[in-house]
Amino acid sequence: MRPAGLVAGAAVTALVAAGAITYAVAEDGGAHTTGKAAAVPSATATAVPVPAADSADAGFARDMAVHHQQAVEMSYIVRDRTRDTEVRRLAYDIAQTQANQRGMLLGWLDLWGLPKVSADPPMTWMGMGDAAVGEDGALMPGMATDAQLEELGRLNGRQAEISYLRLMTAHHRGGLHMAQGCAAKCAVGVEKRLARSMVDGQRSELRLMADMLKERGAAPDS
């Protein structure tokens, strides 16, 4: 289980710088630029206001980066626990999408010169604080516990598929709540747009996972 998480983390590290560039280009109105021009932040990008460390923008970037990392880890775990093409394809899509988005979020924090960790409890920016923290490693709503991750790593075949789909359903519901919070509270335009795209994408995947669980004779909740 841990090697998969390390591989995912290494992939994300390579995306951090790209996230900063994406932010600069998108905020300058050059989001559709491609090729070499896209690799150079615009001269006016520095005019974009930098969020405060305790802002919704910074809080969402930090918390969703952590939330996404667990989704990537779970997806790598199930990839090795089943041969089902449909589940493996979904896991690959989620891992790639959320690793990319995580790289953007961390890249923006770097661009803003803000820390990637905070002394405040997760989701303080949403007014939740300590109420958001669960038990056994579940730092935010929807996140799996350490025990659930360990169990997923022991299962195989259909059992692993059902466990993953249930855990990811809960994970998406928690992430959806956070993304909706950023869409309402964040001030940086490109980050609000990313949050809205997360809402649309995760709603679509929730419908897909509900169908996949039904095909396997299982309900979304255990």
Side-chain angles (χ1 to χ4, degrees), residues 57-130:
D57 297 271
F60 175 74
R62 283 190 295 261
D63 289 348
M64 189 57 86
V66 173
H67 208 268
H68 272 15
Q69 178 59 26
Q70 190 184 71
V72 172
E73 182 176 3
M74 288 195 295
S75 296
Y76 276 110
I77 292 172
V78 79
R79 180 197 63 177
D80 299 330
R81 312 307 298 179
T82 179
R83 295 182 180 274
D84 185 88
T85 302
E86 187 180 27
V87 172
R88 287 171 62 90
R89 183 185 299 116
L90 173 66
Y92 177 83
D93 288 345
I94 289 175
Q96 293 301 304
T97 297
Q98 297 208 12
N100 185 32
Q101 291 174 348
R102 184 173 186 268
M104 293 172 68
L105 295 166
L106 294 176
W108 294 342
L109 288 169
D110 273 346
L111 187 69
W112 298 332
L114 298 177
K116 296 181 179 68
V117 295
S118 172
D120 294 328
M123 299 181 71
T124 297
W125 61 277
M126 287 190 69
M128 297 181 68
D130 289 323

Side-chain angles (χ1 to χ4, degrees), residues 143-164:
M143 291 188 70
T145 64
D146 291 340
Q148 288 172 324
L149 290 176
E150 290 173 5
E151 180 184 30
L152 178 61
R154 292 193 299 267
L155 299 175
N156 290 290
R158 184 163 295 244
Q159 287 185 322
E161 295 161 22
I162 291 173
S163 177
Y164 172 76

Side-chain angles (χ1 to χ4, degrees), residues 14 22 45-47 61 76 119 122 126 136-137 143 150 164 169-170 173 183 194 210:
T22 301
T46 53
Y76 276 110
M126 287 190 69
D136 191 25
M143 291 188 70
E150 290 173 5
Y164 172 76
T169 293
R173 287 172 179 166
L194 176 64

